[in-house]
């Protein structure tokens, strides 16, 4: 059974969002059999920071909470492929955050496959900020 964990990021800023995106999209972490296992919901992974910042700037919401970071992990017993893990994480991102830009990057460089989900805090459709308590999922 997959587990979903929220990564708490203190002292949020747009720079920290860039750092989180750079971390989760590292080539050595997301490459499996020579192919990158990454996706974007309402954005493209390689330009996601610019797209998220454009959304924030267009609604004048560049301060406060900038993003949310989740990790969806699978146990070794589940025998899941990186592609299946990425698909499941994308379905989750689309279901939970349909109006927000999300990056899904599946890491294959550890013993257990896991997907990082980075969510923009500002909706690209109406500019509303996403408010989530630490245990709201």
């Amino acid at each position: 059974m997959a587990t979903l964990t929220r990564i708490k990021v203190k002292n949020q800023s747009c720079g920290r969002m860039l750092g989180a995106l750079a971390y989760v999209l590292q080539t050595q972490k997301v490459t499996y059999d020579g192919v990158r296992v990454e996706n974007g919901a309402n954005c493209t992974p390689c330009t996601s920071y610019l797209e998220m910042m454009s959304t924030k700037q267009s609604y004048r919401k560049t301060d406060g909470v900038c993003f949310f970071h989740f990790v969806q992990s699978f146990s070794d017993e589940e025998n899941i492929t990186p592609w299946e893990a990425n698909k499941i994480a994308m379905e989750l991102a689309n279901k939970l955050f349909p109006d927000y830009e999300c990056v899904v990057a599946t890491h294959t460089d550890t013993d257990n496959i896991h997907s990082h989900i980075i969510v923009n805090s500002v909706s690209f459709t109406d500019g509303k900020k996403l408010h989530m308590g630490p245990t709201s999922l």
Side-chain angles (χ1 to χ4, degrees):
M1 184 168 139
T3 60
L4 184 67
T5 306
R6 179 175 169 189
I7 307 299
K8 190 171 183 179
V9 181
K10 293 184 179 184
N11 302 319
Q12 285 240 351
S13 68
C14 294
R16 288 197 191 257
M17 181 175 72
L18 177 60
L21 287 165
Y23 170 74
V24 303
L25 292 171
Q26 290 180 60
T27 299
Q28 68 270 24
K29 294 185 175 296
V30 299
T31 303
Y32 183 75
D33 285 342
V35 180
R36 294 178 69 90
V37 187
E38 62 187 16
N39 259 311
N42 305 310
C43 67
T44 304
C46 66
T47 57
S48 57
Y49 178 73
L50 297 174
E51 293 175 65
M52 291 179 183
M53 286 305 298
S54 178
T55 297
K56 291 176 183 310
Q57 290 167 348
S58 66
Y59 291 105
R60 295 180 178 90
K61 294 185 178 180
T62 56
D63 58 347
V65 174
C66 291
F67 68 102
F68 294 92
H69 186 171
F70 301 93
V71 177
Q72 185 178 42
S73 301
F74 298 88
S75 73
D76 295 336
E77 299 163 5
E78 290 182 89
N79 197 24
I80 191 166
T81 69
W83 308 110
E84 292 168 329
N86 192 268
K87 181 181 177 196
I88 292 167
M90 274 297 292
E91 289 173 1
L92 181 67
N94 282 318
K95 184 174 183 176
L96 294 177
F97 312 108
D99 296 330
Y100 296 85
E101 293 138 330
C102 304
V103 170
V104 175
T106 301
H107 288 189
T108 60
D109 63 333
T110 60
D111 289 340
N112 72 316
I113 293 174
H114 59 281
S115 298
H116 291 263
I117 304 170
I118 305 287
V119 183
N120 189 2
S121 63
V122 179
S123 167
F124 70 92
T125 59
D126 58 13
K128 290 186 180 178
K129 261 204 147 168
L130 181 62
H131 296 281
M132 297 181 70
T135 59
S136 63
L137 277 184

